[in-house]
Each structure stands twice: as structure tokens, then as C-alpha cells.
Amino acid sequence: MKKKAIKFFWVCAAAIFFAAGIRFLTKLTDPGYAYNKNKEFVENSEEYDVLFFGNSHMANAVYPMELWHDHGIAAYNLAGFGNAIPATYWFMENVLDTSDPELIVVDCNGLGGGEKVPRKGMLHAQIDHLPLTANKLRMICDLMDDPRDRMEFIWDFTAYHDRWWDLDQADFEKESNIEKGAQIAVDVAVPREMAKRPEETTAFDSVGVTYLRRMIEECQGRDIEILLTYLPFPASEEEWQEALYAKQLAKEYGVSCINFLDLQVVDLAVDCSDADSHLNGSGGRKVTDYLGAYIEEHYEIADRRGGEDYAGWEEDYRRYTDYKLETLRSLETLDKYLMMLADPAFDCCVYVNGEAGVWQKNEMHMPLTDNISGKNAKRLEEACASGEDYFLVVDHKKGQVFESVGAESLQIESSFGNVRYEAGEDGERRLFLQDGEENYLPVTPQGGMPAVQILVIDRESGSIADGKRFDNKLSVCTE
Amino acid sequence: MLFNSLDFLIFFPIVVGIYYLIPQKIRKYWLLAASYYFYMCWNAKYVVLLLFSTIVTFVSGIMLEKCAAQAQEEKRQRQRKFCVAVSFVLNLLVLFVFKYLDFGIESLNAVLGRLHLTINVPAFDLLLPVGISFYIFQALGYTMDVYRGEIYAEKNFFRYALFVSFFPQLVAGPIERSKNLLRQLDKPDKPTIDSLRDGLLLMLWGYFLKMVLADRIAVFVDTVYGDFETYTGVYLIVATLLFAVQIYCDFSGYSVIAMGAAKILGIHLMENFNAPYLAVSVAEFWRRWHISLSSWFRDYLYIPLGGNRRGRFRKYVNLLITFGVSGLWHGADWSYVIWGLLNGIYQVIGGLLAPVKKKAAVFLEIKEDSFSHRCIRVVTTFFLVDLAWVFFRADTAFHALRIIKRMFTAKNHWVWFDGSLYECGLNQKNFTLMIWGILLLFVVDICKYRGIKIREIVARQDYWAQFLTVIAAVFVILLFGMWGAGYDAANFIYFQF
């Protein structure tokens, strides 16, 4: 009897040890894409009033932390890269198991798509972190036909076990998404030409339409407001049709739809991160501002700022601004750097050496510089045409822009202190901040002025948060 | 259904669970149904061939025994030979049609083409039924055993059908002998914790060989052999060395899983591999490699041809015939025939040179039983066998010759040192893991060679250590095995035969 009991004990111990080991290996090898992106949401899923769904267009375009800071909206961006609308529908179904939002915003990009899961790998990055519930199983069975594929999503170790050779520090210290699910894209691209707006809306049937209808009906059944969007990018004719039909569907169900293709919210010339689809940080910020104002105006979403339950959000926002600054510091090319400076969080002083041919080296430099000023740089064209030095101060807090062309000196009072720019006829340029004696625009070790110098100013202290100098090849100077 | 597929991992526990839940009397029927289902998972239609072979050999067995009752010796012998002939002809005809017909037609067309005759006989493009060579040989072995009086003919058709189709060894062996398997199918061993543990350990070792080693090595070998005009010299040498390990791990992996699965069902299958690369001669290699097939050819072809009883010359001819046929058994292509003949030629030359070697050893004062001398012989044997494997692996005999030429003529010795080997499908960490795995295999084979049974060592440990061993083995396979998403469960190499 005792022998049997001992045997039984060891069998149980082995089973527990085995299960624990499997769990450990599963967690260890999971690259954590989904976990990292949505960890913040999973841990506090009940505190969000607005949830954003869609694919990479949405992930790149709406920044919940900005909505929080500017409007007090507690939002999370749950959009998944490569998601088709069926996956978005099912993801929403799973998310609603644990959360009760006031408003759901769904981007309708891909409405005409015929496949439920165009890219399997991308779906992993969206759903791996979801607990294995009946809803998740229904999702997997509906989205995947092949039992092997289903297995891969039920137990993602089957997909990741051979990552053992690729494990690094990040796998042991998984980080959460500071942007509350969003992802600021830092690239800058010349957009392709946008197709002409079709005269008429053509109704069509597709897998995407079927699942969008289910989403709307599900939200309406649960008394959750739903807002459809079609985010801006250089759309093709088919994509225009998707946008127009989304609007028609919204009308059919009596819900709102914002077709950004019809609006002039972004400037595609500077706001695209790749030629044919996604928005960069500058474009995303504009969309976020627009949506924030729209939601505030059209929906009764509580302003959670100062709320006891939301005390942690201020700290989250501070981490978010630090993260944006770190991102800015890591940028090595002038176009990306200029693009990021369009964020109103960054006040800056920009010096451009007229002899360096900066404007000619990349035709985007001028519109990107203009973009920093919110298109208020009136003398930029003059500087470009004359080939003279150009100096720009952007004070977002005061909403002011100051410019100098050629040998004009400037003395201004900004929200971050006094700025004195001295421009002599001999070509020497000097910059002093907050009445100090230190020249922030020194000559290069070679004796001349840099091609471009940008100083990002910390608004609170007036100190330099980041600075970059670019040489004539527009490479970052390392001195 | 592959052993390393999810299907099998669901199928097998269900089969085992029900097998032990139902009364012993009906277990064989359950196993028979499971075996036929297992086979039909590949191609349901081809189950007809399995059934045909089973019926023919079953009836021939019964007939052989009936003929034995015939009073007239001459007539009896004639009838018995007729029964054997019918069984062999019908079975080999099936094998020929489905495996060799297209090869024969292609060869015929090639010969006619050489003679400038423009008769073009069309090929049939028949899909090769999986495992056909294995179960037909097993069934024919039974006919011969009854003919020789080594066993009584099986009277129970279902038991006999299970003997031919027993799923663990149905599609890639071991080719079991009726003496061993038929009796066990009637009265399998009762399950004990020890037999279950043993079976499980065997299966895990088999999975390790297949999924961690064979399939990992395959990535490297396939990359190099797939583009041997680019990957020359050292790449080809390394790939050829590794292929020897790959095919060993692949095939012995299958056999070991089969043995383990059978053991869990209370059936002991014969050992199919016994540290073959530690053999000191090619002849010994063939006594240790694919033992069930080698012994089949020895018992049912080499010995009936006269073996070594009719003089030296006939012995060598018999050897060449046996190995030529063995090559053909492995595949319907001249490269397999050359591979088989090469192995036969090695042994003929070995036999011819034996007296010279002996004299040279005496003259040079070499102790033939010394460790160093054995090591040299092991390495030499491995080299010879591995060189023959080139014909086995290459797409055609012509390619094999080109590969061997490029192996030794291209000069790129830096490849040993500059990390280029990590760019052939396996990165450095995977390559290192592969090397460690091969070293482990080497140690296990040495233990086997010396009669040390690792499973018995594990069995002597406390329960916690036994469990830990099993769990650790599972984790190693799960983590380091080649499986899951993005990995198309590779067929076992020997399935094609």
C-alpha cells in the first residue's frame, strides 16, 4: 500500500513538474510581441473607455497617451499589424470578455479583403497573449481551417520552440508598450500618387464586409458606441471604394464614420512613413488630434484626468514623453529628425547653413521644416531661393514661430526663455539661450558652420534636451 | 501518418489506451483495425495491395502445410515449391509493377535510344505505395519459414493479417520474422511499469535521433547537395560525413520509435541497428546496419544462392548479387544498384586482400586486436561506407560521380575555419547543437557496443530520477527538435523503400 502511495506521489510530482516546465518553456520562447504590445491593456482592461481596432494603419496613427494628455480620454490602441477585419472582429470579441468600453473605433482598411488571415505570423503578434477561453477557441477555429494552424495558436510553443538560439536579454525582461498599444513610425517617404476619388460608391460583398457588420451589430447589441474610420494614406481606387462603402455601411447602421481620405487632416507629402500606406509620427499626431477633438465633441467620454483610479496615467505619460525623446535622440538622419520635431512636445531652434545645399539634397527637407512650424514658416521659401542661412525657432507652447534669413540677428522671448541669435556679415553665427554666455552654435572643428544644427529645448528648464549637428553630407557630426 | 506528427501523437495514446482496456481476446482485432487505419492514412486505395499480399502469403502458408501431408516425396516437394513460387511471383509482381515498372521502362527507353531505335514505351507514373518493400518482404519471409518448416502455418487469418500490418513496423521495418512476431501477437506480454518506461524511453530516443539530429543535419546536407556546383570541396566533405549520420539517425530513429511503440503494446521487435559505425569492416557493418533486412537477404537470397558453400568465386558472385539486389530494393534507380554493388565490391576486395593484410600485419608487427588498430579499421570502414552513401544521396549516379570529384578537387580548406559552414542552413548555435548531439550518439553507441544498457541504468535509479530523465528528454525534444510551425514534418528517408 505504502509502495503504491509513493509511486502515486512521484507520478503526481512528475506531472506537476512537467506542466510547470512546459509553461516555463512556452513563456521563455514566446517572443512576446503580443504580450509586449497589449500587456498594459490585459492587466487593467476595465479602465479603458475608448478602444481602437484595426490594422497597422490604426496602430501607427492613433496615440492614446496624447488623447489622455490633451483630452483626458482613457484609451488603448488594440490594432494589430497585418490584421484583416475578421481577425479584428474576433479580437474585439475576446477583448470584450474582460472590458466594457464606452466607444470602439474601428478602421475599415482592408474592407474589401477576401482572406480571413492574410498573414499568419502577424496574427500571433495580436492574439498570443489572450488567455485560452472558449471565445479564443472559437476565434481560432473560425480563422484557421488547417488543424495544424489551429494547434499553433492554441499552444504557441509549437510556433516558437525553435527560438532557443535567438533568446536574449529582452526575452527575460519583457517590456510593456509605453505607447498604450500604438507605434510611432519614424520613417519618412515620398508618397505614391493618390487615386482620384470615385464619383460613385459601389457596394460590394466580401469577408471584410461580413465581419464589419458583425462588429457593428455586436457593439450595438452591447450598447457600445462604435465609430468607423478610414485613415488617411495615398489610397488606390479600390481603397477609395472601401472608404466610401464603409461610410455607406455606417449610414445603414446609423453609426458615425470619418473618411479621412476626404479630409485634409494630414499632409501626405511629409506624413507618410512608407510610399503606399502608413503614417509616420507627424501624420499620426495630426490624426490623433483630430480624433481626440471629434470624440470629445460627439461622445460623452469622461475626462479621467485627476481621477483617483487613473493616478498612474500621469506617470505613464511621463514615461511616454521620455520614450519619445529617446526615440528622437536615436534618429540619425535629418529627414526623420525633422519629421519627429513636428510633435508639439518639442520646442526647437533650427539653423540651416545656406552654403550647404540642404534644401537641394533632399526635396523633403523644406516641407519637413515647414511642417515643424505648423506651416507658419513664412520665410522658408525666401531662404531656399536665395541660398542664404536660415534660422528658425518654434515655440509650440506660445504657438509662435520666429525666423531669420541671411545676416539678420534675432532676439526673442520664448516660453523656454530668451533666445539671442547673432548673425554677422562675415558669416559667423552665434546662439545664446536664457541670457547665458555660452554660444550654442559653435564652429565645427574644421572651422566652418555645420550644415544643419537643431537644438531641442526642454520647455520646463530651458535646457537642451537633445541636439544634433549635421555635416555637409548630412551625416550626424560626432564631435 | 508519421511518427513525428501530431496525428500519431493523438492516434498512439488512443490505441494504447483502448488496447489495455479491452479483453485480451479481442486486442489483436483492435490492433489490426488500428494498423489498417494507420496505413490508410497515407493512401486508402493502396490498402488493397497490403490485403492482397496478406491473402496470398496466408493461403500459400496453408497450402504449404497441406502439401506436407502428401505421401509422395517428389510430388510433395513439387507442390510445395509451386506454392512458394506462386507466393513469390505474385508478391514480387506487385512490387515490380508499383516500384520498378517505370524504372524498367526508362532503362529500356534509354537502351533503345542508344541503339537509335525510336520505340518510346510510355511510363505509368504509379505512386509508390508506402512501405511496400517492407511488408512484402516480411510476408515472403513467412512463406519461406513455413516452407522450411521453421514455423507452422498460421491458421487465424486476422492474426496473420496483423503480423503483416502491425503498425509500428509496417512502413519502415524492422522486417520482422514470423517466428518472433506471430507468437507474440497471440500472447503479448502484460504491461508493467518497467515495460512502459522502457518503451517510452525508446520512443524518446528515437524522436531525439529523428527530430533533433536527423532533421537538423538534413538542413545542412540538403543545402549543400542541392547546389553541389556552388558548395564544393570542404562543404561536400562535411555534408557527406553528416549524411552518414543523418541516414543513421533517421532510419534507426524510426526503428527505435517502432520498437518503443511495440514494447508499450507488449511486443518485442528485433533490434535493427547495433552501433554500425563502430564496425571494423564493411562485412561487419552490414551485420550491424538494418539487421532485419541484411539478415533477410542472407537467409532468403544469399544462402539459397549457395552462400559460401560453393567455393570462393561463387561466394563473391553471390555477395555481389545479394548486394546488387539490396541496392535495387532500396530504390528503383541505377545509383542505388551502384551503391549496393559498391558495398558488395568492398567485401569482395576485403576478402581477396585478407591474406595480404594478415601477412602485412605480421611483417609490420601490428597487433590486430590493439585499440589503435581497431580505431584505424573503424575509421577506414566508415570512410568506405560513407563514400558509397554519396550514390545513395545524390539524385543520379552521374551527380554522385561529380560530387565525389568536386569533393577532392576543389581547394577551399579555409571553410573549416572561417565560419562559412554556418551559412549552409544551420547557424552557429544550431551547428554546435548538432555536434553535441552527434557526440551523444557516439557515446550511446559505444555503450551499446560494449553491452552497457543505458535504459537499465535508468531503471535502477529512484523514481524521481527516472521521471526526471523522461521529462528532461521530452523537454530536449520539444525545445531542440525540428517540428511545429514552418516545419513540414519530414518523411523518414526509408519510407521511400
Side-chain angles (χ1 to χ4, degrees):
Chain A
M1 186 65 194
K2 189 187 165 194
K3 230 175 179 181
K4 274 189 176 172
I6 290 171
K7 258 185 196 176
F8 182 71
F9 166 78
W10 281 117
V11 169
C12 291
I16 293 167
F17 183 69
F18 183 74
I22 290 288
R23 187 173 159 75
F24 171 75
L25 290 180
T26 304
K27 282 212 151 203
L28 180 68
T29 51
D30 183 347
Y33 302 130
Y35 178 80
N36 293 357
K37 184 179 179 300
N38 294 332
K39 178 190 171 202
E40 289 283 314
F41 175 78
V42 172
E43 289 176 356
N44 307 294
S45 57
E46 286 174 357
E47 67 181 29
Y48 297 94
D49 294 324
V50 181
L51 299 177
F52 293 89
F53 289 93
N55 57 20
S56 50
H57 288 252
M58 181 62 100
N60 286 151
V62 180
Y63 310 141
M65 287 306 342
E66 305 291 0
L67 292 175
W68 165 259
H69 183 255
D70 296 343
H71 305 279
I73 296 172
Y76 206 94
N77 192 332
L78 289 165
F81 292 84
N83 258 5
I85 289 178
T88 301
Y89 161 74
W90 277 111
F91 188 55
M92 184 195 80
E93 278 279 352
N94 276 267
V95 159
L96 292 181
D97 282 348
T98 56
S99 62
D100 185 21
E102 298 290 326
L103 171 66
I104 280 178
V105 184
V106 182
D107 188 47
C108 299
N109 182 270
L111 188 62
E115 282 182 87
K116 286 184 180 174
V117 182
R119 279 178 283 181
K120 205 171 63 170
M122 295 289 202
L123 189 62
H124 275 293
Q126 177 79 338
I127 68 167
D128 278 352
H129 70 293
L130 291 173
L132 192 60
T133 59
N135 237 346
K136 184 172 181 181
L137 282 175
R138 280 208 295 276
M139 165 170 63
I140 292 166
C141 291
D142 183 57
L143 295 179
M144 300 287 157
D145 294 327
D146 188 336
R148 282 168 189 80
D149 290 338
R150 289 178 183 169
M151 188 64 206
E152 184 185 323
F153 284 92
I154 290 170
W155 185 31
D156 58 38
F157 182 69
T158 65
Y160 298 132
H161 72 94
D162 59 357
R163 281 193 68 247
W164 60 268
W165 60 268
D166 198 28
L167 296 176
D168 58 16
Q169 192 179 350
D171 288 289
F172 294 86
E173 297 170 1
K174 286 174 176 144
E175 286 183 359
S176 56
N177 182 296
I178 292 170
E179 301 170 77
K180 299 253 184 225
Q183 187 175 325
I184 298 174
V186 296
D187 290 321
V188 183
V190 178
R192 71 177 180 191
E193 200 176 332
M194 191 188 255
K196 217 178 132 194
R197 188 186 197 284
E199 296 289 326
E200 287 179 8
T201 305
T202 313
F204 56 84
D205 204 9
S206 68
V207 172
V209 170
T210 306
Y211 280 86
L212 182 65
R213 285 183 185 278
R214 287 170 75 172
M215 279 183 101
I216 297 170
E217 286 159 12
E218 182 69 29
C219 287
Q220 290 182 331
R222 290 176 183 250
D223 277 338
I224 299 169
E225 297 269 18
I226 181 165
L227 165 64
L228 306 185
T229 64
Y230 204 90
L231 293 167
F233 68 98
S236 65
E237 199 171 322
E238 290 77 27
E239 286 155 344
W240 261 109
Q241 279 297 350
E242 286 183 350
L244 297 176
Y245 189 49
K247 191 117 190 170
Q248 190 173 306
L249 278 173
K251 201 174 170 187
E252 186 185 320
Y253 282 96
V255 300
S256 300
C257 178
I258 307 171
N259 178 8
F260 280 90
L261 301 185
D262 270 338
L263 304 174
Q264 302 300 314
V265 174
V266 300
D267 176 4
L268 292 177
V270 291
D271 289 337
C272 289
S273 71
D274 46 46
D276 56 0
S277 50
H278 306 94
L279 295 177
N280 57 30
S282 164
R285 185 58 204 260
K286 291 168 191 170
V287 168
T288 304
D289 291 346
Y290 183 90
L291 270 175
Y294 186 92
I295 291 169
E296 198 173 299
E297 190 184 332
H298 293 85
Y299 300 94
E300 288 177 11
I301 305 295
D303 182 347
R304 301 290 190 183
R305 284 173 295 191
E308 214 172 280
D309 294 343
Y310 292 82
W313 280 65
E314 286 308 323
E315 174 58 17
D316 289 348
Y317 183 73
R318 194 195 57 71
R319 285 172 59 220
Y320 170 72
T321 52
D322 288 350
Y323 166 77
K324 279 202 298 186
L325 188 59
E326 279 308 311
T327 306
L328 182 73
R329 284 175 179 150
S330 70
L331 299 176
E332 296 282 318
T333 63
L334 181 58
D335 54 352
K336 289 181 187 179
Y337 204 84
L338 288 171
M339 183 279 293
M340 279 297 281
L341 288 178
D343 189 322
F346 301 126
D347 293 330
C348 59
C349 302
V350 180
Y351 163 79
V352 180
N353 186 338
E355 292 175 358
V358 174
W359 313 119
Q360 289 77 31
K361 282 175 180 159
N362 183 339
E363 61 181 23
M364 294 197 75
H365 287 157
M366 197 183 91
L368 282 168
T369 308
D370 195 19
N371 193 41
I372 298 173
S373 69
K375 300 209 182 271
N376 289 318
K378 308 293 180 204
R379 303 186 64 193
L380 191 54
E381 280 192 26
E382 176 194 338
C384 288
S386 64
E388 291 187 278
D389 288 4
Y390 177 71
F391 183 68
L392 170 72
V393 177
V394 180
D395 181 351
H396 284 296
K397 192 174 182 182
K398 282 189 172 179
Q400 286 180 314
V401 170
F402 306 95
E403 293 172 280
S404 151
V405 176
E408 295 170 11
S409 293
L410 268 183
Q411 173 99 31
I412 53 174
E413 280 180 30
S414 71
S415 61
F416 47 87
N418 291 337
V419 177
R420 194 169 87 247
Y421 172 69
E422 293 178 358
E425 289 296 342
D426 55 355
E428 193 180 341
R429 307 286 181 256
R430 296 196 295 174
L431 174 64
F432 302 95
L433 299 176
Q434 295 185 320
D435 301 324
E437 290 305 312
E438 186 184 350
N439 175 16
Y440 283 96
L441 189 49
V443 293
T444 63
Q446 290 74 33
M449 299 304 292
V452 178
Q453 176 178 295
I454 301 172
L455 296 180
V456 180
I457 317 291
D458 183 88
R459 199 174 288 157
E460 303 303 321
S461 65
S463 59
I464 309 293
D466 187 36
K468 285 260 186 332
R469 285 156 76 86
F470 296 86
D471 61 20
N472 279 346
K473 290 177 183 168
L474 298 185
S475 305
V476 174
C477 301
T478 50
E479 88 273 12
Chain B
M1 197 187 299
L2 294 165
F3 280 173
N4 56 338
S5 68
L6 180 64
D7 302 342
F8 184 76
L9 294 181
I10 295 168
F11 166 83
F12 186 62
I14 293 173
V15 171
V16 173
I18 294 176
Y19 180 75
Y20 283 122
L21 282 175
I22 59 180
Q24 179 147 5
K25 275 184 181 175
I26 56 169
R27 282 180 183 169
K28 56 178 169 286
Y29 301 109
W30 168 242
L31 274 189
L32 181 63
S35 296
Y36 268 70
Y37 172 79
F38 179 84
Y39 191 75
M40 286 163 77
C41 283
W42 268 291
N43 191 332
K45 283 181 287 184
Y46 280 172
V47 80
V48 175
L49 301 177
L50 177 64
L51 200 57
F52 175 78
S53 180
T54 305
I55 291 169
V56 168
T57 47
F58 176 75
V59 172
S60 75
I62 302 282
M63 295 303 290
L64 276 167
E65 244 180 30
K66 280 197 173 166
C67 295
Q70 175 68 246
Q72 256 185 298
E73 171 69 18
E74 197 184 325
K75 200 175 177 186
R76 186 171 66 211
Q77 279 307 324
R78 210 170 49 235
Q79 283 179 346
R80 282 165 60 78
K81 280 182 180 170
F82 177 74
C83 287
V84 171
V86 169
S87 176
F88 267 69
V89 166
L90 289 177
N91 275 288
L92 293 179
L93 189 67
V94 169
L95 188 61
F96 176 78
V97 169
F98 283 89
K99 188 166 177 178
Y100 300 106
L101 186 58
D102 283 344
F103 168 63
I105 290 169
E106 277 169 27
S107 301
L108 179 67
N109 282 335
V111 171
L112 291 175
R114 293 258 162 156
L115 298 172
H116 304 291
L117 294 171
T118 52
I119 307 162
N120 204 351
V121 185
F124 286 81
D125 284 334
L126 291 170
L127 188 68
L128 180 68
V130 77
I132 189 168
S133 307
F134 287 93
Y135 67 72
I136 283 187
F137 267 48
Q138 183 158 312
L140 290 178
Y142 163 80
T143 302
M144 282 300 285
D145 288 345
V146 176
Y147 172 74
R148 288 173 177 174
E150 290 178 10
I151 55 161
Y152 292 113
E154 176 57 58
K155 307 289 187 306
N156 184 321
F157 176 74
F158 295 107
R159 188 158 52 235
Y160 179 72
L162 177 59
F163 161 72
V164 179
S165 66
F166 184 49
F167 75 86
Q169 43 88 249
L170 171 59
V171 292
I175 301 169
E176 266 299 341
R177 299 307 171 83
S178 47
K179 287 180 276 200
N180 180 37
L181 190 54
L182 262 174
R183 180 191 51 79
Q184 291 189 70
L185 292 175
D186 198 27
K187 280 183 187 166
D189 284 355
K190 282 185 180 166
T192 61
I193 286 279
D194 288 345
S195 68
L196 292 176
R197 183 205 50 236
D198 261 20
L200 188 61
L201 281 173
L202 275 169
M203 288 183 82
L204 288 173
W205 177 241
Y207 281 121
F208 174 82
L209 292 177
K210 168 66 179 164
M211 292 162 69
V212 179
L213 279 179
D215 290 346
R216 180 164 271 104
I217 296 170
V219 176
F220 186 96
V221 174
D222 290 351
T223 305
V224 174
Y225 268 67
D227 189 8
F228 63 85
E229 298 290 354
T230 306
Y231 294 106
T232 56
V234 172
Y235 291 109
L236 281 169
I237 291 171
V238 175
T240 304
L241 290 171
L242 286 176
F243 179 68
V245 186
Q246 183 200 339
I247 193 165
Y248 175 40
C249 292
D250 192 284
F251 191 24
S252 71
Y254 184 94
S255 293
V256 171
I257 296 171
M259 282 171 68
K263 194 152 204 170
I264 288 173
L265 294 165
I267 308 284
H268 299 270
L269 295 182
M270 69 188 292
E271 187 101 47
N272 216 11
F273 292 85
N274 184 13
Y277 290 134
L278 297 179
V280 294
S281 67
V282 175
E284 190 191 351
F285 171 82
W286 280 103
R287 288 194 294 273
R288 292 175 174 275
W289 178 275
H290 201 174
I291 298 165
S292 64
L293 180 73
S294 304
S295 56
W296 196 100
F297 275 118
R298 182 197 62 208
D299 294 345
Y300 304 123
L301 181 63
Y302 178 71
I303 291 173
L305 282 172
N308 56 5
R309 303 185 305 276
R310 295 188 182 174
R312 224 165 161 196
F313 178 73
R314 271 304 297 271
K315 175 189 166 184
Y316 293 146
V317 170
N318 293 341
L319 255 179
L320 290 176
I321 291 171
T322 305
F323 276 90
V325 173
S326 168
L328 199 60
W329 179 91
H330 281 84
D333 196 287
W334 288 112
S335 58
Y336 290 107
V337 179
I338 293 171
W339 167 76
L341 286 173
L342 204 51
N343 276 285
I345 290 166
Y346 287 155
Q347 292 178 66
V348 171
I349 294 173
L352 291 171
L353 290 180
V356 181
K357 280 197 291 183
K358 216 158 204 162
K359 277 182 188 167
V362 172
F363 181 73
L364 297 169
E365 295 184 358
I366 293 170
K367 294 175 194 153
E368 287 192 71
D369 55 351
S370 69
F371 176 72
S372 52
H373 186 67
R374 287 182 67 83
C375 284
I376 294 289
R377 290 185 69 188
V378 166
V379 171
T380 311
T381 304
F382 178 81
F383 172 76
L384 292 171
V385 169
D386 197 19
L387 198 66
W389 282 133
V390 175
F391 287 90
F392 197 95
R393 174 61 183 79
D395 296 334
T396 62
F398 176 70
H399 278 183
L401 291 172
R402 281 193 66 79
I403 286 167
I404 291 170
K405 187 184 169 198
R406 295 185 78 79
M407 216 186 279
F408 298 109
T409 53
K411 301 275 183 279
N412 56 354
H413 306 301
W414 57 88
V415 169
W416 289 111
F417 309 102
D418 71 353
S420 303
L421 292 174
Y422 305 138
E423 288 159 18
C424 301
L426 294 181
N427 60 25
Q428 189 172 356
K429 286 179 188 171
N430 267 295
F431 199 92
T432 309
L433 175 74
M434 176 187 75
I435 298 296
W436 281 108
I438 292 171
L439 283 175
L440 177 65
L441 171 66
F442 186 60
V443 170
V444 170
D445 267 10
I446 286 178
C447 290
K448 202 171 188 180
Y449 193 81
R450 298 190 160 203
I452 301 168
K453 290 187 175 166
I454 294 174
R455 273 180 290 132
E456 285 179 4
I457 295 172
V458 173
R460 284 200 295 269
Q461 306 307 308
D462 291 335
Y463 278 127
W464 68 265
Q466 293 183 26
F467 283 127
L468 206 62
T469 307
V470 171
I471 291 171
V474 173
F475 286 168
V476 165
I477 294 162
L478 285 177
L479 198 60
F480 301 125
M482 308 284 275
W483 62 280
Y487 170 72
D488 186 17
N491 271 331
F492 289 84
I493 295 175
Y494 263 64
F495 276 20
Q496 61 188 297
F497 311 133

